[in-house]
Amino acid sequence: MSIREWTVLALVFFGTFFMLVAAFGLNRMPDLYTRMHGAAKSTTLGITAIMMAAALYFLNSAAVMRAILVIVFFFLTAPVATHVLARAAYFRRVPRWEGTTVDELLGRYDRASHVLESRQEGDISDG
Amino acid sequence: MTHHLVLPLIIPLVTGALVILAGRRRLAARAITFVGMTTDLVYALYLLWLVWNEGIQVSALGDWPLPFGIALTVDLLSATMLVLAALMGWVVLLFTFVTIDPERERFGFYALYQFLILGVSGAFLTGDLFNLYVWFEVMLISSFGLMTLGGERDQLEGGLKYVVINLVSSTFFLIAVGLLYGATGTLNMAHLATILAEAESTRLISALAMLFLLTFGIKAAIFPLFFWLPASYHTPPAAVTALFGGLLTKVGVYAMFRVFTLFFVEQPPYIHTLLLILAGLTMVVGVLGAIAQNNVRRILSFHIISQIGYMIMGLGLAGVLGLAGGIFYVIHHIIVKTSLLMIGGALEEISGTGDLKHMGGQLRERPWLAFLFLLAALSLAGIPPLSGFFSKLTLLSAALDQEQYAIAAVSLGVSVLTLFSMTKIWAEVFWKAAPLPAPSPAAEPAPAAVAPYWNLVAPAAILVTLSLLLGLGAGPALEFASAAATQLSVPAEYVQAVFGIQ
Amino acid sequence: MVRSFLLNIFLALVWTFLQGELQGSNFALGLVLGYLVIALSQQVLGASAYVRKVGQVMRFLLFAIWEIFTASLALAWLIMQPRLRLRPGIVAIPLDAETDMEIVAVSSLITLSPGTMSLDVSTDRRTLYVHTIDLGDPDAFRREIKEGLERQVLEVMR
Amino acid sequence: METVLAVVVGTLFAVGTYLILRRSLVKLLLGLLLMAHGANLLLFTLSGLRRGAPPLIGPDGGQETYADPLPQALILTALVIGFSLMAFTLVLAYRADQVVGTDDLQRLETTDR
Amino acid sequence: MSEALDVALVLLTVSMGLCIVRLWRGPSLPDRVVALDQIGIHVVALSAVYSIQVGELVFLDVAVVTGLLAFIATVAFARYLEQGQDI
Amino acid sequence: MLIIALFSAFLLALVTLPAYRWLGQRATWLLSAATAVLFGWFLWQAPAVSTGHVLSVTYPWIPRLNAAFALRLDGLSLLFALLVTGIGALIILYGGYYLGDDADLSRFQSYMFLFMGSMLGVVLADDLVTLFVFWELTSVSSYLLIGFRHEDEKARYGALKALLITGGGGLAMLAGLVMLGMAGGSFRIGELITQTALSTHPLYTAFVLLILLGAFTKSAQVPFHIWLPDAMTAPTPASGYLHSATMVKAGIYLLARLQPALGGTDLWHLVVGIVGLVTMLLAAYLAFGQNDLKALLAYTTISSLGWAVALIGIGSSLALKAAMVVIVAHSVYKAALFLLVGIVEHETGTRDLRQLGGLARVLPVTAVVAALVTMSMAGLPPLFGFLAKETLFETALTATPAVLPALWVAGAAFVMAIFAVAYSLLFYFGVFFGSDAPSFDEVHEPAWPMLLGPAILAALSVLLAFPPLRTASTELLAAAASQSYGDAVSVSLALWHGITTPLLMTIAAVASGVVLWAVRKPVRRWQAGAIARIRLDVLYDGSITLLNRLATGLTARFQTGTLSDYLLMILGAMIVLVSYAMITGSGTITVSTSLAGIPTFELLAAVLMILSAVAVAGTSTRLGAIAALGVVGFFMTLFFVIYSGPDLALTQLMVETLTVILLLLVFYFLPRVFEDRSTRLARFRDIAIAAGVGTLVTLLTLMVSPLEGGVVASQSEGLTVSEFFLQQSVPAAFGENVVNVILVDFRALDTLGEITVLVIAVLGAYALVKLRLSDDHDAEDGS
């Protein structure tokens, strides 16, 4: 096996590892919000690694372009997806883990109009 | 090689597309559809003439050698069905012009109508099993559209049942086609015929034959599979019911005729007995259903089922005479049923209801409609000298000839029951005195359809006349049906035609 | 800036044609080479926003990848603990970012960085609510985000 | 692997069947979708499963074996057709529910009585 | 190489299985949506690795499209969730 | 010529409507005259036909079934044709006045001509199919005539009853006729009656019984006679014409016609003879119990029909001669009687015996005419009816077959004769005399054309008993009887043979009849109870009710309205049919249980896919189910990827995503209820069905897959279909992606259809959403 193939393998396993991490995280974390942390970050990294592996393996423009496409796409979409989901979840009052310490968002949603208030001036203890 | 065989597909397709382009312009849509339909009819007649004189016509699309490409194959049965489809399309179109409401016209009614004709024609034309599936779907989706166009409560409710059961049937059709391809490696029907003729009857082939029986049985509405039909057929506008009642189930029947004569010959060995049993049950259950109803179009819908039994009986009897009887019956049934449904629809338009309780007095009000109904009803029940009698006679002769006394007895008994049920409509709608001030919700004068009475009657009159001619000219008609049946009973001819064109 | 960008595209195309084969890889290479040409020539032609911007974006991307890498590692570490040590909390962070693009960039990057995830932006777009896994002092956390991440983003964006 | 996939196909059909026999309109739709999946997978299973041999013929002529392209073409057609039908059915279900006001299939019986 | 990739494929499938566990367990709807999103991403990964294993570029296309569609589906779900339908 | 004669009647049916519109009452005369011309033409043929000459025409009709349009005029046909046209001419005239002020007169006359044509067709037909065609047409015209007063529910009831019984019997007969035709190798009556071997044919019993069923229902034999009394709701001219003089004789005609071919066996003698005798007796007895004049006449008609049937059952030359005589005699006097009852009803407004009486005073002419025909009915000399009865007695005493002892026949005939006398007296004296008669002072004689018919018929009843008409008629009767006997029959009729046993029997019968009439009150009172008890109508009504109940019950069972039930039945049928085919068929199912060589991750994926599929059914939330469905879709994609279907994978993803989004959109509007509403039992049943379907599909898949390596080579070029595609894709169709090439080139038609489906679906869905002709359930949802 050539160095390139070794690199490909390494990247694949690197990616796979993080995919696994995300999946474990999905199951180990206590509430939705903490679960989403793993989902957002680790899978993006995992995909990136695997796509890089593919690009390296084929090493032609078609593969590279596709890999870049996927990576960029994931970088752009993963946060957005997480964001819309988390927002929807909070809005629907998906329960937080009881160990959650601070919740400055609590009670700021107007459920009818979907308006979210800003943080009030008095709340800001530090600029 | 006759490339013009695609015309029955091209004409409705182009017409349908043009209608879509016409948008909400009703009159333009009418004109386009009428021209298209007429062209289609003329071509179908030409095709029938061609097949009659020159034998089975085959066209390999794209000139790909068969069995690799898709073959359009037209034998006498196909050509006959094409003519009937075009004719019914044409006649019902006339009826549509009188009865349909402008709103439906603006929402693509004619486009769906044309696509339905397209699907039906495709199913009759094609010589390729998967292609048959595709045309079935075209037909189904357009019928879905027509069935639910307007979105009235009954339409939606009935339409849902219709749609769901047909979707299940399509799924089974798809896997049956897939499995058959897996087993034989081909989709071309003629090719299948040659392969299966040599293959021994394994449980696989038998099971596949059963699957095809089921899928086509659902479309044809035979005994334990018919439920969608009475649930939905009475819900759309009268013109749609007339078109459906005449054509749709018959596509299923056609497919059964094709499949069980061409490549599932004697597959499984008990197929003919099974078909006869199903035919008998279909007749009985259908007619009993009709007897139980009190609504014109519901009665007629159940009769469709019952009549399908006779066609399947022809297939089950097999042999040239049995098949000829079945084909004759199909021809007769399409004509008569369409006319009956148009008359029934007209009656509902006039009375503002289809409920027998609230109808009456029409013999004095509309004697011509009464006359037509009587003829059509008698024809349906098998009273001579109308077409129904001779087709039943042929079937009866075939059954007695083959010593299938049970089915013969059933077919005769069902005739009496059919008569019983049709006279119920006659007695209630035409003979009974008109009910006192109509309690029907449509207390205001019924739709515009009432005024142009002649337009309403003329389409049905055309078909009833045809039924009468078919009865008086039963000899030639049966000769014709026998010719078609002979072609069916000799698959080699079909195969030869398909593979002989290279 | 637009002119520079078009110039870059043009150079890439020229390169592609010179190569004789209309392939994506050639074009990509052309883009890179063209960029280098423009970057070098800026010594002669004067500073170009384009060159700076591209550089910033590159840096930003690297930063982001780094963030996500560390974040994932941290998470992996966390997951592998026999007992989860979590102190989750939701913190409101006042935003300096103004345009939609800026807010999106900030909130996205927060999501991708270790231990934080943006939940929602207030309707008046002045506050970002962030969920964090390991929250000590909310105010310290606020400061950390504002001075680290947000500033970096805004530098790139403006 | 054919055996395994055959079991999968069977399961899809079994679950689909179970769902379409429920009284809920929603489950009915889900069941139909599952059955459609089953049918497609069945066709695919029959095509002779070959790994890594897509029916793409390279400029150099390519390999000796390819996956059977015809079933794939058939499935492709069936997929689109199935989707069209399902889309229509979904809209129909939506409208039916809107007009009739229930998704309990046992209460959709006026047209049969 | 191929054997090693097999291992990777298995691991990815196991990982996907874990996501399905979450999908099954819920408990809330957004949990399931997250799980579905994750499964989609796993399909991307699996397609990509498989594409390496058999050396066929076309499957990368599948990966691209899967990623795109998984995202669209997730956003659609989120929109739906936020409309406030209870379960 | 025969054809013209036949179709002129149908032509008249068509002409009637405009004729009445243009000519008014004059049309009646014209039509009657036209019918008389027809009668004249048949009469003109009489001399030749009587000598054995047979006119016949044949046109091929349905060669495939050996059926021809064949007509034949021989003695038997001529006799009936004369009755049909002769009585027809009189009744048309009568009817024109009877219904003179009825707006529907033209329609009535049209139906009458329709019937006339059909009846002529029956008696002239030389081909069983031709015969049957006209046979059913008589049933239809009878239906229309019985239901002529269609606003009356009783009329509709009677019409349907007649149609069902005669039509049903007719269909049974059709089966018999077809079998007969097959047994005899021809449908031509002329050929069949010359055959002798038919009675030994294995199907003999079957077709004889079936044909008899047709004949008996038509001719109102017990127990099928029940339709005839109810048929009396028809206007009286129609009753007299169809339900007495002609149509009900169609069955007798058929029996007489086929007697040479079918008769002569014990079966024939027994069944036809016994049924005839029973009918004759029972109906005579019942007639005596009636109050409605038409019902009374209806039962006497049935009795006479039974009489003729019994004679044909006996089947000797003498018996057939007697049958011909009674047919003529009965037609003549009974038609007249009906017309007279019509006059009575027309003038008094009632036909109830209890309200009538003493009409001889106000209707003297009618009374005289009635006296003559009633005497004929009673069988009194010197009228033609007497001759009929004499020949009956003669037959009963001399020429019965072994299975029908003479004593039975003679006894039955004698009893019948007693009743005949009694009911004749009852009828005549009840109507025209009687002390307790209410006053009918305003009643007057009808228009003379109405009396013309009965008068002519009454005259005939007399004149036929004397030369020269008697001698003329004997020739014709002989010709008819010999056609029916199959050999020459000599007929001589005389009023006076000397003191013979038949004469003594007649005298005894008349005496007993008078006595019976004298004690009518207690007898009839007793009968009223007895009649109520033996009404067979209960059977008919009961079976109609039963039929309706059965139909409703069965349909309610099948057409439950619940989609799940329908699907259950359909899937159940699938399981039964397919598994039966699998069990009974031959061939092996190879199941490779070895998992060797299958990559672990594929196995895992398969397991996960199964789990997600189950999850779709198992989750308690809608969204969860959709999500699980999405996962199933992802796995589909995955398998498409693994097994070399990249295009499939892409399309699958696209479709899947769109479907999921659509589902979400739609479900947003659907109610939230998701729990299973079925009972536990239903769930178990459904699981069983589901498992069955799943197992079958799996087995089918397994059975096919092993064949994969050995797909049968195609005929051309030794290539399989897919090999051809792979080979030709690049060189012939210039495409490297074979799947695409198949779609756009090799099988472009499929793709065309596919696109069409998509377009239609969009069109349909658009219309569905936009076009709303009905009000929505929830108005607020309609936005």
Side-chain angles (χ1 to χ4, degrees), chain F residues 89-136:
Chain F
L90 297 177
I91 289 193
I92 291 290
L93 178 61
Y94 176 89
Y97 284 86
Y98 183 80
L99 288 168
D101 41 7
D102 195 311
D104 292 325
L105 170 64
S106 59
R107 195 154 54 82
F108 177 80
Q109 297 287 50
S110 178
Y111 291 163
M112 292 291 270
F113 278 111
L114 176 66
F115 166 76
M116 190 189 294
S118 315
M119 191 64 203
L120 275 179
V122 170
V123 299
L124 291 178
D126 189 23
D127 180 282
L128 293 180
V129 173
T130 312
L131 183 138
F132 184 79
V133 167
F134 290 113
W135 181 283
E136 290 294 81

Side-chain angles (χ1 to χ4, degrees), chain B residues 243-261:
Chain B
L243 192 65
F244 283 13
L247 286 184
L248 287 197
T249 47
K250 263 52 76 184
V251 179
V253 173
Y254 164 83
M256 286 172 93
F257 268 72
R258 180 62 75 215
V259 164
F260 289 107
T261 56

